[in-house]
Amino acid sequence: MQDPATPPPVPPPVAEDILRPVAHLELKAVALMVFTLALIVGSALYLLYARGAFEPTQTLVLTADDSEGVVVGMDMTFSGFPIGRVRRIELAPEGNARIVIDVPRKDAHWLRVSSIFTLVRGMVGGTNIRAYSGMLQDDPLPDGAVRPVLRGDATAEIPQLMASARELLTNLNALTAQDSALGASMANVQALTERLNGPGGALQLLMGNEQDARKIVATLDRTNALLARIDSMAAKADAQVFGPGGVMPEVQATVVQLGGLLADTRASLKKVDAVLAEVQAVGANVREGTADLGALRAQVESNLRKIDSLVNEINRKWPFARETEIKLP
Amino acid sequence: MLSRMSLPHLHERLWFALRRWAVAWGRIVYLGAVVLVLALTPSSYTRSARRSMARHIYLDTAPILPGFTVLAALLSLVLTRIVVVTALSYGLTAYALEMVIRVLVLELIPLTAALFVAMRCTIPNGARLAVLRQSGQLDALRKMGADPVRVELLPRVVAGVFACITLAALSCVVALVMAYLGVYGFNLAGLPSYTRMFGHVFSPAVTLVFAIKTLLSSLAVALIPMTAGLYDMGEGGPQESELGGLARMFAVLLLIEVASLVGNYY
């Protein structure tokens, strides 16, 4: 045992283990230890800071019917930025999951009383808790608030999608099967095109059998003959109507005669006009005559009034005379 | 050796091997306990013992510190680059940095530090101890009434543990800085998200496992080569004894690593 009072004699060192003195050994060793300690303490402090040990937080409790995929330590994001961290997951007495989240006070102003929280499970990667604040002017979310979380599960739709896809494939299989309606239709179409390509072609296809198709052809031939006869008939009619001695020249002569007749009529009418002018003059003379008659009548009336006054005067001057009647000359 | 190997009975050879195995592990465990007890005893830190310890600590740690820091920085940068570029091609950049931190800081760098310390300090120290033993100096110390474990072994083990922890801590910090630089470059824009991700990776359980793993690895690396040097295992020669110690050290490191993985991911 080494004793500071009686130090043991140092055994003769082997050649390779000669202990040369190190300058400022104590200082260097202490500096090294301090360095290591500083590294460890610094790392620990950084870790504590990174885990949010130095910032005041408020609690938010999210209730979900299923906490699958949620792990302690995962982030709650707002617009893609982490603003909270899951501290604990517990089962509530009602049977649903309570997700306790620590939200730093400096980020808590993003959460309002009207905020919505969603729990989304992606196809790749973990579950995400997201917060949405539609109206940032609402009151801030109080400490210890309990909010329901809406679940959106991308993988939950896969079974439904698979069922739909399977149904679609079944329908497609039924459509393309050997004995399906589509197959039969296609076979019919093939038979149809074969008949179209065959003798008779479309006509036979339309009429159904060969006899009827032949009838149609015969009908067409007869129609052609009929049309030829109608053509000759039209030529004959043309000759009768427009040919020499036909109807049309006679009609033309009649029209010329009719023109002469009309000229004569016009001359007669002119004569009638003259007669009417003369009648008008006679009428004017008669109107003048009747005007003179008016004047004559006025004179007669004035003469009669004079005679009447004369008789009245005679009657006054001849009072015995009972006879008042005057004999006109 | 050949004559010893040609023992006629198989069960005797098996018994011999089993006994040797048990003795070796028993000595490791016993010496570990002794070293722990001595390290916690105040009388181990007398002035001369402190001086010897300081000398070992300084000479074991300081010379390898710059070299290993450069190595760790290079390794971190290369691995970060590989992981980030691969993640980019798969569209998984969001998970690249977390993966880098997990792979580098949690798993790879502490193991590399332990192996580096073993290679540069503790295995040569164990060899030196074996030379001391074979040259009879340990017996001389014993005859003078001094405890060779206290005089020669304890400072070396403490220095090995200290070197291991220092290298692991420094290389982890260097790896963190290099991963940040490798992803974000020389700006501070990514620091908040990086800090958050770091806090996310180092949950209390993971941190605890990490600390225990580093401590146990450093103990294993410091103690096992010394045990091989201190005791004659009856294996025929110092080389064989050293090789046996090395194998045991690797086995223990592997065991610690597996246990830490189980603790972290199961």
Side-chain angles (χ1 to χ4, degrees), chain A residues 153-230:
Chain A
D153 194 346
T155 54
E157 289 178 8
I158 288 180
Q160 197 184 346
L161 198 68
M162 288 302 293
S164 299
R166 192 175 298 127
E167 199 176 338
L168 184 69
L169 285 174
T170 312
N171 286 345
L172 212 59
N173 271 336
L175 270 180
T176 56
Q178 197 71 36
D179 54 348
S180 67
L182 190 66
S185 303
M186 291 309 287
N188 284 341
V189 167
Q190 195 176 2
L192 212 60
T193 48
E194 275 170 8
R195 285 178 68 183
L196 269 177
N197 285 332
L203 201 57
Q204 193 180 344
L205 191 72
L206 279 175
M207 299 317 294
N209 53 30
E210 204 173 341
Q211 287 79 19
D212 288 345
R214 277 186 191 149
K215 279 181 192 167
I216 290 283
V217 172
T219 311
L220 277 175
D221 288 344
R222 289 174 63 188
T223 309
N224 267 340
L226 197 64
L227 280 173
R229 285 176 64 188
I230 286 173

Side-chain angles (χ1 to χ4, degrees), chain A residues 103-141:
Chain A
V103 181
R105 294 261 179 211
K106 68 179 171 62
D107 292 327
H109 68 277
W110 295 114
L111 301 178
R112 302 284 157 169
V113 287
S114 60
S115 291
I116 301 288
F117 301 92
T118 62
L119 185 67
V120 180
R121 286 185 66 201
M123 302 279 279
V124 177
T127 307
N128 294 310
I129 300 176
R130 297 195 179 115
Y132 300 94
S133 293
M135 294 192 285
L136 285 173
Q137 61 271 23
D138 278 359
D139 294 334
L141 198 67

